[in-house]
Amino acid sequence: RYGEYSYDAIVASLRAQRDRVKNAAGAVLQRTGTRLDSRGNVNLANTVPAINQARQELLKPGVIPSTNAADDLDQLIGALGTPQTFTTLKENRTAFREIVDSTDNADRSQLTSRAKSLLQDVYAGMTRDMEDFARANLNPQQFTQWQRANAVYADQARVMTRSKLKNVLDKGDVTPESVKNMLFSQNPSEQRLLYSSLTNEGRANARSAIVSKIINDLNRRASGVSPNSFASELRKYNAQVNAFFRGGERRQLEGLGRVLDATRRAQDASVTTPTGQQLIGGLSITGLYLDPVATLGTAGTVGGLARLYESAPVRSALLRLGSMPPDSSRYAQSVLNAQIAINAAIEKERGQSAEK
């Protein structure tokens, strides 16, 4: 219930990042296509011999013919009978790739059929002709940009068709449970893929969801939050922490662990720190430690926690605390500053929620 909007934001972030990358790469490919179309027709020096060789093999006397594949080649031959600009050859190559991909049934073994292998040779010939034409008619910088855009587009297609992200994006599967399963997968490669596929806003929501789950898990323990239990939970979610908390984010997370522990120890009375200084219990964020959602009231969604955790004052205070040696003379003041920043952020979040 509390996390639905945040998980929805993560999916929106996935879609926004996918569209941003595809649009940027697509713009390069479109400009390149327009430029190359003005340079005349593409020489099919590699495509035609590959077609002839494949058709000869598919209809080889004395061997069971692969008539379906041969018919597919005949369709391509008919299309290529018209002089090909760079764009028309690209479109025909895309259509032919779909034919190649559908040649083998999904339930076949991993061994590629003879027919599919021959069709792949034809596809490779079309690719070489496109590359040769582009190399001959673009300057080195333009050619490199075109290659990179092709690689980005292909990589996005692979990611969005061969990973767990596909179901979420294609089916609009934005239930908290489905996105939570993706976020809390223990497969490091899936975590890295998810991180690279999110915008900064999506990453912030993901980090907040991870922090919220860690704290909620700790609150269910009899011992509550302690330095040891917090470290244990971080190890439990090592794949998520390593993927989403890097550099400053990691120090910020360490600072959060420290301020929560100091709050736990300070909630009943003033507590002496390792340096002999005392923390002021009256400023402790007991509610956040005990129940972060209840503390924020109606603003207590994971999205609200995201804004709290990622707010500039809180982030700055936690970063300083995470970088401060526990035996430093300034450690106690850093804890207090972090508590004050969090309290102020909570009140601001409450006020904004009340206005809505």
Side-chain angles (χ1 to χ4, degrees):
R1 182 163 69 93
Y2 291 116
E4 182 174 357
Y5 293 109
S6 179
Y7 290 126
D8 186 56
I10 290 176
V11 174
S13 170
L14 286 171
R15 290 177 174 148
Q17 179 72 351
R18 174 199 60 185
D19 292 342
R20 184 187 69 80
V21 172
K22 289 181 64 177
N23 289 341
V28 173
L29 296 178
Q30 183 175 10
R31 287 197 303 270
T32 303
T34 301
R35 182 179 291 113
L36 291 175
D37 285 349
S38 65
R39 303 299 173 86
N41 298 324
V42 180
N43 185 351
L44 304 181
N46 293 288
T47 302
V48 172
I51 289 176
N52 293 337
Q53 179 65 27
R55 201 171 191 286
Q56 181 179 339
E57 291 292 326
L58 292 170
L59 301 176
K60 190 175 182 178
V63 178
I64 297 176
S66 299
T67 52
N68 288 339
D71 290 342
D72 291 335
L73 274 180
D74 287 341
Q75 290 186 54
L76 180 61
I77 291 171
L80 298 184
T82 302
Q84 296 292 295
T85 65
F86 185 84
T87 297
T88 57
L89 181 59
K90 174 186 174 183
E91 292 172 350
N92 279 320
R93 188 185 65 153
T94 299
F96 190 67
R97 183 182 63 226
E98 295 174 359
I99 293 174
V100 173
D101 290 342
S102 64
T103 299
D104 288 341
N105 295 327
D107 57 354
R108 284 184 60 90
S109 70
Q110 295 303 306
L111 294 177
T112 304
S113 71
R114 171 174 168 268
K116 184 170 185 175
S117 178
L118 290 168
L119 295 183
Q120 286 174 331
D121 290 342
V122 174
Y123 180 85
M126 298 171 74
T127 300
R128 286 194 296 272
D129 285 335
M130 290 177 60
E131 290 177 345
D132 290 347
F133 187 79
R135 186 181 290 107
N137 291 281
L138 297 173
N139 64 46
Q141 181 180 8
Q142 292 170 339
F143 182 72
T144 299
Q145 289 176 341
W146 174 74
Q147 284 185 310
R148 288 175 179 171
N150 266 324
V152 168
Y153 213 90
D155 185 62
Q156 283 293 302
R158 177 189 61 78
V159 167
M160 298 307 172
T161 58
R162 300 183 185 179
S163 70
K164 289 184 178 179
L165 301 181
K166 176 177 171 58
N167 288 336
V168 174
L169 291 167
D170 289 356
K171 298 179 181 179
D173 192 3
V174 295
T175 63
E177 195 61 34
S178 64
V179 184
K180 186 185 296 183
N181 289 339
M182 181 174 62
L183 179 59
F184 290 99
S185 164
Q186 290 303 307
N187 187 332
S189 64
E190 290 182 2
Q191 292 301 315
R192 291 192 296 270
L193 174 61
L194 178 58
Y195 180 87
S196 65
S197 301
L198 288 171
T199 62
N200 288 335
E201 181 180 356
R203 292 170 183 174
N205 273 277
R207 283 194 294 270
S208 183
I210 295 167
V211 170
S212 180
K213 182 165 179 59
I214 289 174
I215 295 175
N216 288 337
D217 287 352
L218 289 175
N219 284 334
R220 287 193 290 268
R221 293 189 183 185
S223 60
V225 179
S226 71
N228 288 339
S229 64
F230 194 81
S232 175
E233 286 300 305
L234 290 183
R235 287 193 296 271
K236 178 179 177 182
Y237 296 106
N238 187 60
Q240 287 74 26
V241 170
N242 285 339
F244 286 91
F245 294 86
R246 307 177 182 188
E249 282 85 7
R250 180 64 64 90
R251 293 194 302 275
Q252 185 179 354
L253 187 61
E254 293 169 355
L256 179 63
R258 290 177 176 182
V259 77
L260 288 173
D261 180 58
T263 298
R264 176 184 63 84
R265 293 185 289 114
Q267 61 182 337
D268 295 325
S270 295
V271 176
T272 302
T273 68
T275 63
Q277 294 174 294
Q278 288 191 327
L279 297 175
I280 302 173
L283 285 174
S284 65
I285 49 169
T286 309
L288 182 61
Y289 151 66
L290 291 173
D291 186 348
V293 171
T295 301
L296 287 174
T298 57
T301 63
V302 175
L305 286 173
R307 291 188 293 275
L308 172 69
Y309 185 72
E310 296 285 337
S311 70
V314 171
R315 176 176 173 80
S316 177
L318 292 179
L319 276 170
R320 284 195 295 271
L321 179 57
S323 304
M324 189 73 63
D327 57 354
S328 167
S329 61
R330 293 179 295 172
Y331 182 79
Q333 186 61 49
S334 294
V335 172
L336 188 58
N337 290 342
Q339 290 178 313
I340 293 172
I342 293 175
N343 276 339
I346 287 175
E347 290 306 317
K348 180 179 180 181
E349 189 69 30
R350 279 174 170 167
Q352 291 177 344
S353 178
E355 291 176 2
K356 294 178 182 179

